Amino acid sequence: MTHALPLSPSAIAEWIPFAKAAGFFLGTFILEDVAAVGAGLLLATGDISWPAAFIACFLGIWMGDAGLYALARYAGRGWFERSSLRRFTAKVAESEHWFAERGTPILVFSRLVPGARLPTYLAAGFLRVPLPRFLLITGVASCVWTVAILFLAQTFGERLTNWLGTYKHGGLLLLGVGVILFATLQLVRRAFVNFNFRRFTARLSRWRHWEFWPAWIFYPPVAIYCAWLALKYRGLTVPTAANPGIFSGGIVGESKMATLKEMFLISPEFTAEAELIIGDTLAARLSSLDDIRARLGIDFPFIIKPDVGQRGAGIKLVRSSAQAETYLRQTSAPLVAQRYARGPLEAGIFYHRFPHEPHGHIFAITEKLFPVLVGDGSSTVTELVWRDPRGRFMADKYLQRFSGRQSEVLALGEEIKLVESGNHAQGCIFRDGMRFCTPELEARIDEISQKLTGFFIGRYDVRFASEEDLRAGTNFQIIELNGAASEATSIYDARNSIFAAYRTLFRQWDLVFAIGAANRKRGCASTKLSLVWRKWREYSRLAATYPAAD
C-alpha cells in the first residue's frame, strides 16, 4: 500500500501563481471587468506578475466574446431557421447586410460601453459576421481594454492597499462584501418599492434612443479622443487658451455676466440686456433686483439664472415677485437678471475663427423646439406627459417642473409649454438648423464675434421672431454666449446616428484644440489644471443649490 506524499511548501508555492491566473481566467466568464480590476489590485501588491495577469484576463475575455458569438451563430441561428420565425428571413438578410457595412465600429464601440457587449456579440453571431473578422476586431479591442484596466487598477490600487495597511486582505474582502450587499439592497429597493411600470418601460425604451443616454455612457469616446488631442498638441489645458478673453476659455467657471456686459456694450441691438444681482443678504439682493428692474425697465416675466452655469441649470422665467423671492432664498450663488427675449423661436449658433483668419465661420446651427402639452378635457398633466411618445422619456424632468399641476385636468385645446430653457438636458427638442445659415447671418455673427475681446470659438444662443429675420442676420437677441466647452448641439437631432454625432463632436474638439494651440503660439497662456479643477468643484457645490430649471 502506497501513501501519497504531502506537497512541500515550495511545490505549493509554484502552483499559487497558476491558481491565481486560473481564478481570474474563470472570473472573466462571470464579470470580466471585475476580474480584470481584481488582477490589477494584485499587481499593485506584487502578488501576481504582469504576464500572468494579462494572459489570464485577455484570454478569458476574448474566449468569452467568442463563446457568445458561437452561441448565437450556431444555436440561435439554427433555432431561428427551424422555427416559425423563419418567415422573417428577408429582414434578417437586410440586417446582415447592414451589420456587414457598420460592424467594425459597432464592435469596437461596444467594448467601451458597459452593457453593450452581450447584445452586440450575440447579434454579430446571429447575423453571421465572418469569424476571422470578429476574432480580429474583438481580439485587438480586448487586448487594449485589458491593458488599460490592469494599468489603472495597478496604479490606483497601490494607493488603496497602502491605505488599508495590514488589513489589506481582510479589508478588501469586507469592502467587496459591503459593496455587493449595498448594491443588492439598492436594486431590491428600486425594484419593489414604489415600482412604476410606466417609468420602468420608459427608462428601458430610452436605451434605444442614444440622445437620452447618460453622460457617463455617451462621453467616454469623446474623452478618449480629447486625450489623444492633448497628446497631439502637448497639453491637456490647451482648450483653455481657445478664448483668451473668457476665463478658462469657457471650459468651466466663466461668468455669463462678464460676457453679456461686453456684448451689450459692443452690440446692444443684438443682446438681451442683463445685470448681476448684488448683495450679501436676501434683503439686499431683493433690493438690487428691484433697482435693476426699475432702471432697465424690465417687467414681468423676466429671466433669473446663475452667473456660472451649464446645461440650462437653474434658469427660471420669473412671473411674480413671490417667485423671485423664492429663487433668491434657495441659493446664495451669484445670479443674473435678464430681460426676457420673447422670440418665440430660438437657435444655437456654433461659430469659430482661427486667429490668422480674416473671417469666421458658422460650424453648426441648432433649431430648438419647445414641446407643448395639449389638453383633451379628461386627462391630467401626468397622464398627458406619460402618453406623449417623446415626453415620457423626460417625464421625471417635466413633472418635477409642474409638481403643483400634475393632477390638473387640462381643458380641450388648453396648452402647457413644457420647458422654457432652450437646453436639451431640460427637455427641449433639438433639430439640425443649418437651413438658417446664410452669408448674411454668417457675416453678422462674425462681425459681433470680432468685436469681442479674445473670442474665437463657441455657441451663441439666440431668440428671434421669424426664420426670415434670422436668415437676414437682423432682429435677433443673443441671450447667452458659451465658450470652448459648449457643443454643436445639433448632434442631438433624433434623426442623427450616434456615429454622425461623434464625427461632429470630434471635429468640434479638433477645432477647439487647434485654435487653443494657435493662441498659445501667439503667447496666450492656458489656465492651470489645478485652477480648472477648483472651479469645477466650486460650480458643482453651487449647482446643488440651484432650483429646478423652467
Side-chain angles (χ1 to χ4, degrees):
M1 183 176 180
T2 59
H3 296 278
L5 295 175
L7 291 175
S8 66
S10 59
I12 294 174
E14 291 176 0
W15 281 95
I16 287 178
F18 176 80
K20 290 177 181 177
F24 288 121
F25 172 79
L26 296 174
T28 60
F29 292 98
I30 303 171
L31 288 171
E32 57 187 42
D33 292 342
V34 173
V37 169
L41 291 174
L42 286 191
L43 282 173
T45 61
D47 291 333
I48 194 172
S49 67
W50 250 99
F54 171 75
I55 292 172
C57 294
F58 167 67
L59 287 180
I61 291 172
W62 195 22
M63 289 176 66
D65 296 346
L68 292 174
Y69 172 94
L71 179 67
R73 176 158 184 171
Y74 301 109
R77 189 60 179 262
W79 169 84
F80 169 81
E81 292 175 349
R82 292 190 302 271
S83 72
S84 60
L85 295 176
R86 63 179 179 274
R87 65 182 182 275
F88 297 111
T89 299
K91 291 289 186 182
V92 172
E94 291 178 12
S95 299
E96 286 181 351
H97 179 71
W98 182 88
F99 205 95
E101 292 181 343
R102 301 169 177 84
T104 299
I106 292 174
L107 289 170
V108 172
F109 180 74
S110 67
R111 172 54 56 186
L112 303 174
V113 180
R117 301 165 199 167
L118 176 64
T120 302
Y121 297 160
L122 289 175
F126 185 81
L127 298 176
R128 293 175 173 172
V129 172
L131 180 59
R133 177 184 174 193
F134 177 86
L135 291 177
L136 176 62
I137 295 170
T138 56
V140 172
S142 298
C143 178
V144 174
W145 183 257
T146 303
V147 170
I149 293 294
L150 290 177
F151 175 77
L152 290 173
Q154 180 186 25
T155 302
F156 295 102
E158 185 175 2
R159 299 178 184 177
L160 176 63
T161 52
N162 289 339
W163 175 66
L164 290 171
T166 57
Y167 300 99
K168 62 183 179 181
H169 299 297
L172 284 173
L173 178 61
L174 291 174
L175 179 64
V177 171
V179 168
I180 292 171
L181 287 175
F182 177 79
T184 303
L185 289 173
Q186 291 297 312
L187 288 173
V188 171
R189 181 180 66 82
R190 293 186 179 186
F192 296 105
V193 178
N194 298 324
F195 180 77
N196 186 306
F197 183 74
R198 289 183 303 186
R199 182 177 288 109
F200 172 76
T201 55
R203 287 180 175 173
L204 195 63
S205 298
R206 282 179 62 146
W207 292 101
R208 295 166 45 209
H209 303 270
W210 67 266
E211 62 169 313
F212 297 111
W213 288 359
W216 60 271
I217 284 184
F218 178 71
Y219 281 104
V222 181
I224 292 170
Y225 189 72
C226 286
W228 180 84
L229 289 172
L231 291 174
K232 177 181 177 181
Y233 289 100
R234 299 188 300 279
L236 191 61
T237 60
V238 171
T240 64
N243 296 311
I246 302 176
F247 174 78
S248 76
I251 294 295
V252 69
E254 73 276 16
S255 166
K256 295 182 185 296
M257 189 61 241
T259 307
L260 286 169
K261 183 177 181 180
E262 182 183 3
M263 199 175 309
F264 190 78
L265 289 174
I266 62 171
S267 303
E269 69 275 29
F270 295 108
T271 308
E273 201 168 5
E275 197 163 316
L276 191 67
I277 299 173
I278 61 174
D280 298 326
T281 64
L282 175 61
R285 300 203 321 158
L286 286 170
S287 176
S288 173
L289 178 58
D290 289 340
D291 176 65
I292 292 169
R293 290 185 56 217
R295 186 159 28 83
L296 301 183
I298 297 178
D299 201 358
F300 293 111
F302 63 91
I303 297 292
I304 294 182
K305 59 186 176 183
D307 186 39
V308 179
Q310 295 180 358
R311 301 174 70 83
I315 295 178
K316 278 285 186 184
L317 181 62
V318 176
R319 296 177 172 86
S320 68
S321 297
Q323 280 187 314
E325 182 174 345
T326 299
Y327 193 127
L328 269 61
R329 282 185 184 277
Q330 182 165 339
T331 180
S332 60
L335 301 173
V336 172
Q338 185 175 43
R339 190 186 305 279
Y340 179 50
R342 294 186 177 274
L345 306 177
E346 186 171 329
I349 303 173
F350 198 96
Y351 164 91
H352 71 92
R353 179 175 69 88
F354 281 87
H356 65 274
E357 290 183 318
H359 301 292
H361 315 277
I362 290 178
F363 176 74
I365 298 180
T366 305
E367 179 183 10
K368 302 183 180 184
L369 307 177
F370 297 88
V372 173
L373 282 186
V374 181
D376 59 7
S378 60
S379 302
T380 65
V381 169
T382 298
E383 290 169 340
L384 290 171
V385 167
W386 282 111
R387 195 180 301 158
D388 185 87
R390 187 183 187 280
R392 64 196 184 102
F393 297 137
M394 299 291 292
D396 291 342
K397 182 72 69 176
Y398 293 147
L399 294 176
Q400 177 191 21
R401 189 170 292 136
F402 292 96
S403 57
R405 303 184 64 181
Q406 292 182 14
S407 300
E408 180 182 338
V409 175
L410 298 185
L412 182 64
E414 183 181 355
E415 295 185 351
I416 287 183
K417 191 177 181 181
L418 287 174
V419 59
E420 291 288 348
S421 171
N423 192 282
H424 187 267
Q426 303 302 329
C428 191
I429 300 172
F430 286 179
R431 294 284 184 265
D432 189 318
M434 281 302 283
R435 61 192 177 86
F436 297 140
C437 189
T438 62
E440 292 79 11
L441 177 60
E442 189 168 65
R444 180 69 69 190
I445 295 297
D446 186 47
E447 174 192 351
I448 295 170
S449 300
Q450 296 215 35
K451 291 179 183 177
L452 287 169
T453 304
F455 174 70
F456 294 93
I457 187 166
R459 189 189 69 242
Y460 292 92
D461 291 330
V462 304
R463 292 182 72 89
F464 52 99
S466 71
E467 296 182 8
E468 291 72 22
D469 285 342
L470 187 63
R471 288 194 181 97
T474 60
N475 196 26
F476 62 82
Q477 293 278 286
I478 298 169
I479 57 175
E480 200 161 290
L481 173 60
N482 300 280
S486 59
E487 287 181 326
T489 47
S490 56
I491 63 169
Y492 294 109
D493 188 328
R495 297 167 296 186
N496 280 339
S497 71
I498 190 171
F499 301 107
Y502 281 132
R503 279 197 300 271
T504 300
L505 282 179
F506 290 170
R507 174 58 181 152
Q508 172 193 315
W509 281 103
D510 274 332
L511 291 170
V512 170
F513 270 88
I515 291 172
N519 281 327
R520 186 178 60 180
K521 192 173 181 180
R522 296 167 60 231
C524 300
S526 300
T527 306
K528 291 183 178 179
L529 187 60
S530 59
L531 181 56
V532 172
W533 175 248
R534 187 166 74 248
K535 288 297 182 181
W536 170 253
R537 294 287 300 275
E538 290 176 5
Y539 164 71
S540 299
R541 286 193 295 269
L542 288 174
T545 69
Y546 296 165
D550 280 341

